[in-house]
């Protein structure tokens, strides 16, 4: 929840939004990160289907969330250094009957750094 509020605060603080020269580079990096997140989700789903223990399934889910949250946070920070606001768009993912929210990324806006 804190991450969402931080993202919104960053968006509100940026006043002059325009296209930056490096948008395609940032978009490519975001796309690569999203592909990595999708692969992590697929691995977690496959691994969870082999488990019957709720405790093991929770461990798989927690590991997935930790890993994807870390990947997203690093990409958001990297993009911000280039003047690009990248936000997480929470999407539901089913892991062995449990619905969790995972955070793939989307380029939100561009801010030219003068």
């Amino acid at each position: 929840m804190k991450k969402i509020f931080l993202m919104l605060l960053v968006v509100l603080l940026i006043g002059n939004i325009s296209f930056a020269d490096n948008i395609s580079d940032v978009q490519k990096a975001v796309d690569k990160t999203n592909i990595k997140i999708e692969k992590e989700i697929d691995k977690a789903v496959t691994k969870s289907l082999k488990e019957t223990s709720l405790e093991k399934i929770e461990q798989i889910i927690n590991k997935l969330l930790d890993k994807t949250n870390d990947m997203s946070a690093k990409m958001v920070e990297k993009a911000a250094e280039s003047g690009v606001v990248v936000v997480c768009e929470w999407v539901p993912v089913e892991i062995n009957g449990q619905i969790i929210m995972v955070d793939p990324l989307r380029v939100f806006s561009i801010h030219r750094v003068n």
Side-chain angles (χ1 to χ4, degrees):
M1 198 63 148
K2 289 180 185 177
K3 189 189 294 189
I4 293 172
F5 289 121
L6 179 61
M7 304 283 175
L8 290 175
L9 180 60
V10 168
V11 170
L12 291 174
L13 291 176
I14 295 176
N16 183 18
I17 297 175
S18 62
F19 285 102
D21 297 331
N22 60 355
I23 182 63
S24 64
D25 293 338
V26 173
Q27 184 65 60
K28 287 177 188 174
V30 166
D31 292 343
K32 282 184 180 180
T33 302
N34 282 337
I35 289 169
K36 290 177 185 177
I37 289 171
E38 287 177 29
K39 287 180 181 179
E40 291 301 323
I41 292 169
D42 290 343
K43 285 194 294 190
V45 168
T46 301
K47 191 172 183 180
S48 73
L49 292 175
K50 298 175 184 174
E51 292 294 337
T52 56
S53 163
L54 289 177
E55 184 177 326
K56 292 283 187 185
I57 294 169
E58 285 296 321
Q59 289 174 358
I60 292 167
I61 289 171
N62 289 334
K63 184 177 178 181
L64 171 66
L65 292 175
D66 289 344
K67 200 169 205 177
T68 58
N69 288 343
D70 184 57
M71 292 165 68
S72 294
K74 286 178 181 175
M75 186 65 244
V76 168
E77 185 177 326
K78 184 178 176 182
E81 291 170 3
S82 298
V84 179
V85 177
V86 171
V87 295
C88 297
E89 289 195 332
W90 299 91
V91 297
V93 174
E94 185 175 347
I95 306 270
N96 203 335
Q98 296 185 44
I99 304 295
I100 61 169
M101 299 302 282
V102 179
D103 55 348
L105 302 162
R106 178 175 67 86
V107 173
F108 183 75
S109 63
I110 316 307
H111 178 70
R112 185 175 304 282
V113 180
N114 296 327

